[in-house]
Amino acid sequence: MNQILILDFGSQYTQLIARRLRQLKVYCEILPYSTNIAEIAAKDLKGIILSGGPSSIYAKDAPKADPKIFELNLPILGICYGMQLISHECQGKVIKSKKREYGFSLLKTSRLCRVPSKGAMPIRRPKKSRIFKGVPEKIKVWMSHGDEVKKMPDGFKKSASTSDIKIAALENEQKNIYALQFHPEVHHTDYGLKILGNFARGICLYKDQWSPSSFLNETIADIKKDVKNDSVICGLSGGVDSSVASILVSKAIGKKLYCIFVDTGLLRVGDKERMRAVFNKKYKFNLKIVDASKLFLSRLKGVSSPERKRKIIGKTFIEVFEKESKKIKNAEFLLQGTLYPDIIESVSVKGPSAVIKSHHNVGGLPKKMNLKLIEPLKFLFKDEVRDLGRSLKMPEEILMQHPFPGPGLAIRIIGDITQARINILKKADKIMRDEIKKFGWYDKIWQAFCVLLPVKSVGVMGDERSYENTLAVRCVESVDGMTADWSKLPYELMQKISSRIVSEVKGINRIVYDITSKPPSTIEWE
Ligand code: XMP
């Protein structure tokens, strides 16, 4: 497929470059900087972007791509570290900046060269860089660097500067090599999307209008061809990814898809019922709902360590799933809702973009099951999966739901888990979600949930003293769950949630609201 390749040098923004290009309907993939040149050359590329990264180009182990990328005759755009790499590889000079620049800078684009006019007297009419086409002369940009280009390589021209650095962008138009010291992919950079679009459309001449559903027919045909008369098993959690993946695969193979939903007893009110309504009734899936709640509860008895809870739940889930899947005949394939960030993270260079959420992989099914994997969403980002779901006409209620962790309510009950504590949390959680929806706030929040604390406090209820549990309410805004801020809920909504829970849920007499961001806190409490 026609695409732009992003070579990752470890920047925390690498994925953002990809997301912005996809927003522009340009298909792109991310590979580690060390990818073999033959693999790069074998792709149907229209251009290459070299990402930023935390290293200095002069560091001993500075990441370097194969210099042969400059011989592929493809347009190249270097961003931040990528710019320093281009300058270094093409024999320019990079030095340590006097001052590390982090945050906003005012970028001034400069004219490049003379253009001969047809008039009698040649006049100086310098040309603007193609990368800044349609971009005003002065824009606010986001910088994050410690090194800077001191001397440009031969044949290169400066195309922008800031008050702190003379060369904030450079290029060699003949060779189609462009470089920016700032980050066009970051939201705070004015005209960032325009600049990336100029590269993709104006310089790389990428013509297609890619969309997540562009590959729908092809994927369906591939799955049909691979699966033939065998069966596919899917651990369907009802979350966005597994739901979209299973609907997609069912379009290809219909009743040869067998879904298993494990009721751990740690689900929210309505979760199981919704599974039945959507997948059994509406889509007529082969969906088996396995009630394993007693088993999970017995194994979790007396366990209060968050990591042990996760391990026990993960192991028990696999056990239940394996046992159930053995009952399915001709099962040769396992469907998984793996997304693009999961793959990128596992191949990336070391650095912030390489953070692997290993503890989140509850339900990661073992290799020994000996099933071939089907991962139809593995090149998509979350928002693209939602778009795909929309093109498959799936209910918004499924597509727009908040993330819910694999270990479920177990990691929202701090300390020991008992049926009584699960019941208290379920009731409180339902009230909170209902009120947030009634107030029209559900879609403004990334995740909203309650945490039952192992703290009792004194209260008065009617004429009596009470000594009951404390409940924490946590609502956060986030783009990808990696960072988050607490939601500034209207007081009226907070008041409603609090008064309804304390009056309707026996066992809770105090509510607190969590006002920490991530970092330093995490979203979940355990
Ligand atoms: P944290 O708490 O690490 O959470 O800030 C980030 C996102 O991941 C979810 N989360 C999990 N998801 N299994 C999961 O499937 C887990 O063990 C797990 N722990 C956290 C969390 O709800 C948030 O969306």
Side-chain angles (χ1 to χ4, degrees):
M1 187 172 350
N2 243 249
Q3 62 174 282
I4 289 184
L5 175 67
I6 301 161
L7 286 182
D8 181 16
F9 291 88
S11 163
Q12 57 179 318
Y13 302 132
T14 303
Q15 287 193 31
L16 263 186
I17 306 174
R19 291 177 64 166
R20 296 280 170 268
L21 288 177
R22 302 265 184 112
Q23 222 175 314
L24 291 162
K25 300 189 185 304
V26 172
Y27 185 72
C28 59
E29 287 180 13
I30 300 176
L31 286 177
Y33 69 90
S34 53
T35 305
N36 187 288
I37 190 74
E39 189 183 332
I40 295 176
K43 288 185 173 283
D44 194 1
L45 298 185
K46 300 299 273 179
I48 299 179
I49 296 182
L50 312 178
S51 84
S55 298
S56 161
I57 193 74
Y58 290 117
K60 234 182 21 220
D61 53 355
K64 305 239 170 77
D66 189 322
K68 289 206 184 72
I69 57 166
F70 294 102
E71 293 164 22
L72 293 174
N73 244 337
L74 288 168
I76 293 183
L77 171 67
I79 295 176
C80 196
Y81 178 83
M83 163 153 161
Q84 286 140 24
L85 183 78
I86 289 173
S87 305
H88 183 264
E89 295 287 301
C90 300
Q91 319 304 321
K93 188 165 183 224
V94 178
I95 56 159
K96 207 158 206 47
S97 305
K98 282 200 193 88
K99 199 170 92 196
R100 212 193 121 74
E101 237 186 330
Y102 182 79
F104 287 116
S105 283
L106 190 66
L107 185 91
K108 195 166 172 303
T109 58
S110 35
R111 301 266 159 173
L112 286 169
C113 59
R114 293 176 194 177
V115 176
S117 74
K118 281 189 179 161
M121 291 284 290
I123 51 160
R124 285 165 66 102
R125 275 209 71 223
K127 200 176 74 168
K128 193 170 177 171
S129 166
R130 289 197 290 167
I131 200 93
F132 294 122
K133 190 176 166 205
V135 176
E137 227 156 81
K138 288 184 181 162
I139 54 167
K140 219 167 54 178
V141 298
W142 184 260
M143 291 277 193
S144 168
H145 67 106
D147 291 353
E148 67 180 78
V149 176
K150 176 77 179 162
K151 181 179 159 293
M152 287 184 289
D154 287 347
F156 279 73
K157 291 198 169 84
K158 177 175 95 168
S159 56
S161 56
T162 70
S163 55
D164 286 317
I165 48 170
K166 277 203 184 115
I167 309 167
L170 52 81
E171 66 185 60
N172 182 329
E173 198 185 356
Q174 278 74 40
K175 291 194 171 159
N176 256 334
I177 302 177
Y178 294 78
L180 310 168
Q181 185 55 71
F182 60 93
H183 290 274
E185 70 276 24
V186 170
H187 269 302
H188 321 296
T189 293
D190 292 343
Y191 293 86
L193 205 59
K194 176 90 187 129
I195 294 169
L196 288 172
N198 284 344
F199 178 67
R201 304 271 178 200
I203 296 167
C204 298
L205 304 177
Y206 183 96
K207 293 271 184 295
D208 296 350
Q209 293 291 324
W210 184 84
S211 82
S213 52
S214 306
F215 80 141
L216 198 62
N217 291 340
E218 206 180 310
T219 310
I220 290 179
D222 284 350
I223 295 171
K224 263 189 194 155
K225 198 168 84 210
D226 291 345
V227 173
K228 295 190 188 82
N229 288 321
D230 295 322
S231 304
V232 178
I233 308 177
C234 170
L236 185 55
S237 70
V240 179
D241 312 338
S242 65
S243 300
V244 175
S246 64
I247 297 281
L248 175 62
V249 168
S250 77
K251 296 258 174 245
I253 58 162
K255 292 277 183 188
K256 282 180 278 180
L257 173 68
Y258 292 85
C259 295
I260 298 168
F261 174 80
V262 179
D263 177 2
T264 57
L266 301 158
L267 304 169
R268 294 159 299 184
V269 173
D271 282 349
K272 193 158 63 173
E273 293 70 19
R274 194 183 64 183
M275 290 302 288
R276 273 206 191 98
V278 175
F279 293 99
N280 275 342
K281 297 227 169 78
K282 182 175 159 70
Y283 289 111
K284 311 262 184 292
F285 265 33
N286 285 322
L287 169 69
K288 175 85 184 275
I289 296 181
V290 188
D291 182 356
S293 49
K294 287 210 176 82
L295 180 66
F296 278 89
L297 195 60
S298 71
R299 296 218 175 143
L300 287 166
K301 198 166 175 215
V303 177
S304 58
S305 142
E307 275 318 289
R308 277 202 62 213
K309 284 181 186 172
R310 276 195 174 79
K311 288 219 169 82
I312 292 169
I313 293 169
K315 194 170 158 282
T316 311
F317 180 90
I318 289 168
E319 244 178 75
V320 175
F321 187 86
E322 271 190 303
K323 191 168 155 208
E324 213 42 56
S325 60
K326 283 200 180 112
K327 298 179 190 162
I328 297 162
K329 286 202 188 98
N330 296 336
E332 285 287 327
F333 295 88
L334 180 69
L335 169 61
Q336 289 203 317
T338 317
L339 300 192
Y340 198 37
D342 305 327
I343 317 182
I344 306 169
E345 283 170 358
S346 56
V347 296
S348 193
V349 287
K350 285 219 171 59
S353 71
V355 182
I356 297 170
K357 292 172 274 175
S358 55
H359 71 286
H360 291 181
N361 290 337
V362 170
L365 297 159
K367 286 210 177 77
K368 73 172 166 38
M369 281 184 75
N370 235 342
L371 297 168
K372 289 174 231 154
L373 281 186
I374 296 185
E375 296 173 303
L377 311 178
K378 72 175 174 192
F379 287 113
L380 300 184
F381 289 103
K382 191 85 170 188
D383 46 341
E384 295 173 334
V385 172
R386 292 200 167 104
D387 281 350
L388 185 62
R390 278 185 198 111
S391 64
L392 290 164
K393 305 217 164 26
M394 289 176 59
E396 278 300 302
E397 191 202 348
I398 298 244
L399 300 176
M400 292 309 290
Q401 64 184 305
H402 293 172
F404 184 62
L409 300 181
I411 54 167
R412 293 178 179 173
I413 295 172
I414 311 300
D416 291 2
I417 299 162
T418 59
Q419 190 59 56
R421 289 182 81 73
I422 296 175
N423 294 345
I424 291 177
L425 182 57
K426 271 176 140 172
K427 276 190 200 146
D429 174 83
K430 164 128 180 38
I431 293 173
M432 183 218 46
R433 280 187 295 135
D434 285 351
E435 286 303 326
I436 283 177
K437 282 184 183 159
K438 259 198 244 161
F439 260 74
W441 265 71
Y442 188 82
D443 290 342
K444 297 185 194 170
I445 296 173
W446 165 267
Q447 241 172 320
F449 58 93
C450 299
V451 183
L452 186 59
L453 308 185
V455 174
K456 287 197 167 190
S457 72
V458 176
V460 275
M461 285 207 172
D463 289 335
E464 281 182 39
R465 246 169 83 96
S466 65
Y467 187 58
E468 295 288 7
N469 296 288
T470 309
L471 183 87
V473 174
R474 177 116 168 108
C475 296
V476 295
E477 287 162 19
S478 174
V479 183
D480 51 13
M482 304 292 274
T483 59
D485 197 9
W486 57 280
S487 303
K488 314 313 180 267
L489 297 187
Y491 283 161
E492 209 187 328
L493 169 57
M494 287 173 132
Q495 197 253 327
K496 189 83 191 179
I497 292 173
S498 162
S499 63
R500 269 198 68 195
I501 294 178
V502 279
S503 64
E504 293 175 36
V505 184
K506 204 164 171 296
I508 294 176
N509 70 349
R510 192 174 296 272
I511 314 253
V512 292
Y513 189 60
D514 184 343
I515 52 167
T516 33
S517 60
K518 171 184 178 176
S521 291
T522 48
I523 295 178
E524 302 290 344
W525 276 44
E526 286 200 330

